[in-house]
Amino acid sequence: MNAIALDLRAAPFGSDTQAKPQRARPERPAAPGRVQLVHHRETMLLTARIRVLLILAVFALVAVAAFARIGYLGVAGSSPRPTSLTEALLPERGEITDRNGKPLARTFPAYALWFNPRAMEDEGSPLVGKPADIAVRLKEIFPELDEERTARLLASDKAVYIARRVLPEQANLVHALGEVALEIPREYDRHYPQGTLGAHILGYTMENDAGTLEGRLGMEQVLDERLSDPALRGDPVALSIDLSVQGALEDELRRGMLATNAIGAAGVVLDVDTGEVMAIASLPDFDPNLSDAQHSPNVFNRATNGTYELGSTFKPLSVAAAIDAGVVRDFSKRWDATPVKVSGATIRDLKPKGQSLNVAEALAYSSNTVTVRIADALGPERLQKAMVDLGMSEASPIELPARGQPQWTDGKWSRLKNMTVSFGHGIAVTPLHLASAYAAMVNGGVLRPATLHKLEPGEVPRGRRVFKASTSSRMRQLLRMISIYGTGRSANTPGYRIGGKTGSAEKAKAGGYARTALISSFAAAFPMDRPRYVVVAVLDEPRGTLASSYQRTAAWNAAPIVGRLVPRIGPMLGVRPDARRDVDISDLRNLIEKGK
């Protein structure tokens, strides 16, 4: 039932007219169009709210991901960029110096000339001009360029370096050519200020996939992690090498090599008390500054990687083993020096000196026959053990990656094998092996590992004893006598008291030995009254001259190298000539002088 409403407007206040009650009118329903409009508006508002919420959710997810990334980098990793001014000022790779601080390898910012065949990929040819014409103009800027090779590179579709170590003024001239494909990127370059000097020691560097320098060969490879470490690369790494001694060694080896037309040479200067390598060389050499150094045919290291039968330089080692074992006691004893027949082979002396010789004469005149008879008296087991103790059965402990494995026979040695090893045949080792063995033979009998690291006094290894001190003392006398009376006379430089032994051996080949190819060597120490350094010089296939066919043997070629070298390096190493001093050989001198 509808409610009754009063219409006050029909009877104003104070009027006598009685108000008549009226029935209220029912509400009219809303129009259909209006309902639809309201519904549409609410739907649009709801859609807008949902979109805003979605956008906020996306922004929230992005923010969370960004904060998570920042947190991860803060905890798990660091930016590749330097984080401090100090680090920013450091070279990309640490410096290598010799023992006296002279630079051997440095890194500095540099420019390069790079050909980018994709520089104008959308335009067809990457070059505006012809490759041959551009090569001519580049030749004017870089006189050392091979014009034909450069033209071939520019005509190819291969990205390649045209030149390295480009000077700023050269870079400006290249830009002036207007060739977009010729780019001048700035990079870090490794420079070896001494050129080829010590190349086999240092090795070289190349860019890896990450665009950073990586050591290859030599100490660059050995020290790669140390030289690249931001915490350490600010401090130079000092090697044991003395740059001046290294230069003298390479100079004298090259002189001897050229004089005899040899195909190669190797040499070592070793501190007998510490095992530090003062100089080590292999010729021919290579230039580590060249971008294609890895393709050089001369990267092979003859001093540490080449193994050779070093001939008669093994005779003092065999005699020392016999003295140590008590097989040789009486030095005046005469040993049979006639040819030895064993297992179908005959061992003779190159230049016989009589029917019998004592030990001093046998070493001075390099007698094969007496040496093999001493080795036969010593026996295969003891000589083999002596060689193992001297490190002849394994690679040298030097740090270089290029370390040759000796050609060594395991198992029980035959009588013939024992005899041939005693005079340096049937066993092949590196020149560095020989240097370390001689150091132990003259320093009191202690073998220490050869090293290219500069050692402080407290860092010198104790080593291991391989000879008695008395044996070492006797060998110093015998080696000195070889240089005074025997095959080492051409190395007997006045005042330096050099003692050493020559060795000439035919090179091994498939099925035997090459009669016309020799390895000539001389192993020595100085000064013999207080040995400080061992020097080894080796010539690979020296060829005799028309003047003398004997110039192929060590007495004529390898020994003179040491004779010229020692006076040059002695003062550098603190050893000065003194004609008033020498090792005392008074108790052995008459053994040779009587037989002369």
Side-chain angles (χ1 to χ4, degrees):
M1 186 172 72
N2 293 330
I4 302 297
L6 295 178
D7 190 354
L8 297 180
R9 293 174 298 175
F13 182 78
S15 175
D16 295 333
T17 306
Q18 187 177 0
K20 297 180 179 180
Q22 295 183 359
R23 188 179 298 273
R25 288 176 296 182
E27 293 183 3
R28 288 181 295 180
R34 179 180 178 83
V35 172
Q36 292 177 358
L37 181 61
V38 171
H39 178 72
H40 181 67
R41 185 177 62 180
E42 290 177 350
T43 302
M44 291 181 64
L45 287 173
L46 179 60
T47 302
R49 291 190 184 102
I50 292 173
R51 288 178 177 175
V52 170
L53 290 174
L54 287 174
I55 293 173
L56 290 175
V58 170
F59 275 110
L61 287 175
V62 171
V64 169
F67 281 115
R69 179 62 177 168
I70 293 171
Y72 171 79
L73 291 175
V75 174
S78 60
S79 169
R81 295 181 177 275
T83 57
S84 67
L85 178 60
T86 301
E87 185 175 343
L89 294 175
L90 290 176
E92 185 183 70
R93 191 172 179 86
E95 182 176 326
I96 301 176
T97 71
D98 82 335
R99 64 186 303 107
N100 300 312
K102 297 178 182 177
L104 299 176
R106 285 177 166 173
T107 300
F108 58 90
Y111 295 99
L113 175 55
W114 174 260
F115 173 56
N116 180 10
R118 305 288 183 267
M120 299 176 63
E121 194 168 7
D122 296 336
E123 303 295 330
S125 174
L127 298 172
V128 176
K130 295 179 179 180
D133 295 338
I134 297 173
V136 171
R137 299 185 68 180
L138 288 176
K139 176 73 173 179
E140 296 173 356
I141 301 172
F142 305 98
E144 70 278 5
L145 281 185
D146 184 329
E147 186 177 323
E148 293 183 2
R149 176 178 178 273
T150 303
R152 289 196 303 270
L153 293 175
L154 295 175
S156 70
D157 61 351
K158 181 180 179 182
V160 66
Y161 280 107
I162 303 297
R164 308 295 289 268
R165 301 182 181 88
V166 175
L167 298 175
E169 53 267 30
Q170 292 174 319
N172 292 333
L173 293 174
V174 171
H175 283 306
L177 297 179
E179 293 289 348
V180 179
L182 296 180
E183 300 177 353
I184 307 291
R186 187 175 182 182
E187 59 187 12
Y188 282 100
D189 195 14
R190 194 68 164 168
H191 180 57
Y192 302 91
Q194 311 305 331
T196 61
L197 192 63
H200 289 90
I201 301 169
L202 297 171
Y204 54 89
T205 59
M206 292 184 65
E207 283 189 359
N208 57 23
D209 294 338
T212 59
L213 295 176
E214 184 176 81
R216 301 287 180 86
L217 204 71
M219 295 303 286
E220 287 279 24
Q221 180 176 335
V222 174
L223 299 170
D224 190 60
E225 185 175 345
R226 163 70 173 78
L227 296 171
S228 304
D229 189 339
L232 301 173
R233 68 184 187 219
D235 297 323
V237 178
L239 302 185
S240 61
I241 299 299
D242 186 306
L243 189 59
S244 299
V245 177
Q246 181 72 27
L249 174 63
E250 292 191 20
D251 183 50
E252 291 298 342
L253 285 175
R254 186 173 286 105
R255 176 180 173 184
M257 178 179 162
L258 295 175
T260 59
N261 199 25
I263 65 172
V268 182
V269 179
L270 187 70
D271 188 313
V272 304
D273 292 321
T274 67
E276 292 172 288
V277 177
M278 311 305 292
I280 188 166
S282 175
L283 297 177
D285 52 24
F286 67 96
D287 190 349
N289 286 304
L290 300 179
S291 59
D292 61 346
Q294 72 273 20
H295 299 306
S296 172
N298 301 324
V299 296
F300 182 78
N301 191 338
R302 283 179 162 85
T304 65
N305 205 19
T307 56
Y308 311 96
E309 295 187 7
L310 294 174
S312 297
T313 56
F314 266 61
K315 290 174 182 175
L317 299 174
S318 302
V319 170
I323 295 173
D324 220 51
V327 172
V328 173
R329 296 178 182 272
D330 182 3
F331 287 84
S332 64
K333 176 184 175 180
R334 310 294 296 183
W335 292 76
D336 187 358
T338 59
V340 178
K341 294 184 179 181
V342 55
S343 301
T346 301
I347 300 174
R348 299 182 175 87
D349 287 338
L350 179 63
K351 297 176 68 176
K353 290 291 184 177
Q355 296 294 308
S356 66
L357 298 170
N358 59 46
V359 171
E361 291 172 330
L363 287 177
Y365 305 142
S366 197
S367 172
N368 296 333
T369 56
V370 172
T371 303
V372 301
R373 286 186 167 96
I374 292 174
D376 198 33
L378 178 63
E381 291 184 3
R382 288 190 286 189
L383 183 59
Q384 186 178 22
K385 182 180 183 302
M387 294 300 166
V388 170
D389 290 344
L390 289 169
M392 301 295 189
S393 63
E394 58 188 10
S396 169
I398 194 75
E399 294 84 1
L400 294 177
R403 296 179 298 159
Q405 181 67 35
Q407 297 177 33
W408 171 268
T409 302
D410 288 318
K412 186 177 181 180
W413 284 1
S414 66
R415 186 184 180 206
L416 177 60
K417 180 71 174 182
N418 181 59
M419 288 184 173
T420 57
V421 168
S422 71
F423 63 98
H425 287 71
I427 180 174
V429 299
T430 69
L432 183 59
H433 278 95
L434 186 65
S436 294
Y438 265 62
M441 185 169 58
V442 302
N443 72 2
V446 178
L447 181 70
R448 293 185 177 89
T451 180
L452 280 167
H453 289 296
K454 181 182 179 181
L455 301 178
E456 299 301 329
E459 298 174 340
V460 177
R462 295 183 62 182
R464 69 174 187 272
R465 181 162 295 281
V466 291
F467 293 121
K468 299 173 184 175
S470 58
T471 299
S472 179
S473 177
R474 185 62 80 181
M475 292 311 302
R476 292 196 290 268
Q477 293 178 300
L478 292 171
L479 288 172
R480 180 68 179 127
M481 293 177 72
I482 295 171
S483 293
I484 296 175
Y485 302 108
T487 57
R489 285 179 301 217
S490 55
N492 188 27
T493 304
Y496 285 97
R497 297 93 75 194
I498 301 171
K501 182 71 186 75
T502 54
S504 303
E506 295 171 349
K507 290 184 74 172
K509 66 175 184 177
Y513 289 89
R515 297 292 179 185
T516 59
L518 294 182
I519 294 292
S520 295
S521 53
F522 187 68
F526 75 98
M528 290 310 296
D529 54 314
R530 173 60 180 89
R532 294 276 307 281
Y533 301 97
V534 161
V535 182
V536 172
V538 178
L539 291 174
D540 190 352
E541 294 190 29
R543 299 173 178 86
T545 64
L546 294 176
S548 173
S549 62
Y550 281 106
Q551 208 160 357
R552 295 171 62 235
T553 60
W556 294 87
N557 50 47
I561 292 175
V562 176
R564 295 190 300 267
L565 177 64
V566 170
R568 292 183 63 177
I569 67 175
M572 301 175 190
L573 297 171
V575 180
R576 298 190 178 278
D578 189 345
R580 299 168 299 175
R581 300 179 58 182
D582 209 334
V583 62
D584 184 8
I585 59 171
S586 58
D587 59 333
L588 297 178
R589 181 183 289 111
N590 66 322
L591 298 179
I592 287 185
E593 290 181 341
K594 285 182 179 180
K596 290 182 66 176

